[in-house]
Amino acid sequence: MYFAALLARTEDGWEASDTELDDVETLTDLADLAREAAVDDDTVVAFIEQEDAWYGVIRVDGEEDPRVFLSNAAAAARSSYGAMLTDELLGRDDDDATDDLDSLDLDGTEDGEPESDNNVDDDDTLDAVNGSDGPPRGPLGDPRLLEDLGIGEKELLSLNGDALSSIADALGCTEVLEAVR
């Protein structure tokens, strides 16, 4: 289950709104949704969380490109919205994923690769899954995206548990976020 919210910065503080991601298929769609919630092109921070597996913070400032941080890219890549964000951050497009699937044989090897022997240890398998083509096992994106709002890189990287509440505390909008939870 996902939780998603938009926090729009205003002259009077933050305004939160629960948001539906049904029509969001790309980071551009999410940024457009955030811009619609913005007041006078001010900062909007979008939160996406999937249970306690991963969370994402997307920051949109006016017409600038969105900045994204994911707490756990490997976990996020296994979910629809997380995969969309990891693919954006890794510079992949939908055609890349389709090409990768098309190049697989039924036995699990890629075209032109020899079949592996059955003596491959688990570490080699994990390296192949988490190699340069896959998302990293940890954070991905811009851990400095909230520095000017009071959350430094070190603090963001150390969050666990209910990270979105910790971020909301630092931004001074805990009550506003909890109202839409």
Side-chain angles (χ1 to χ4, degrees):
M1 171 169 267
Y2 289 99
F3 168 74
L6 295 173
L7 292 171
R9 194 161 143 179
T10 70
E11 288 180 8
D12 300 324
W14 293 91
E15 291 180 5
S17 59
D18 186 14
T19 188
E20 289 295 323
L21 300 176
D22 295 341
D23 296 329
V24 173
E25 294 180 8
T26 66
L27 180 57
T28 301
D29 293 342
L30 185 56
D32 290 344
L33 189 65
R35 286 184 185 105
E36 289 173 16
V39 176
D40 298 327
D41 285 338
D42 212 340
T43 300
V44 176
V45 178
F47 291 145
I48 301 175
E49 178 181 57
Q50 183 181 18
E51 294 164 354
D52 286 327
W54 65 274
Y55 70 90
V57 179
I58 301 88
R59 178 177 177 162
V60 177
D61 294 298
E63 292 301 317
E64 292 180 27
D65 288 340
R67 296 166 59 191
V68 179
F69 174 79
L70 295 174
S71 64
N72 184 329
R78 292 188 293 268
S79 66
S80 60
Y81 298 113
M84 169 194 68
L85 295 171
T86 56
D87 287 348
E88 274 297 325
L89 290 169
L90 295 172
R92 297 180 181 163
D93 59 18
D94 291 335
D95 293 339
D96 290 344
T98 303
D99 292 343
D100 289 346
L101 292 175
D102 290 342
S103 67
L104 292 176
D105 288 334
L106 293 177
D107 66 2
T109 62
E110 293 186 28
D111 289 340
E113 287 185 4
E115 288 188 36
S116 62
D117 61 10
N118 292 332
N119 297 327
V120 175
D121 68 19
D122 289 339
D123 289 339
D124 291 340
T125 304
L126 285 175
D127 289 342
V129 170
N130 289 297
S132 62
D133 289 340
R137 296 179 191 178
L140 181 65
D142 182 0
R144 298 180 187 175
L145 79 164
L146 300 174
E147 275 186 337
D148 64 321
L149 300 174
I151 302 172
E153 175 180 2
K154 195 173 197 175
E155 185 178 357
L156 189 61
L157 291 171
S158 69
L159 292 176
N160 53 30
D162 193 5
L164 298 186
S165 290
S166 298
I167 294 169
D169 283 344
L171 296 177
C173 61
T174 303
E175 290 177 15
V176 173
L177 180 64
E178 291 305 317
V180 297
R181 256 191 198 225

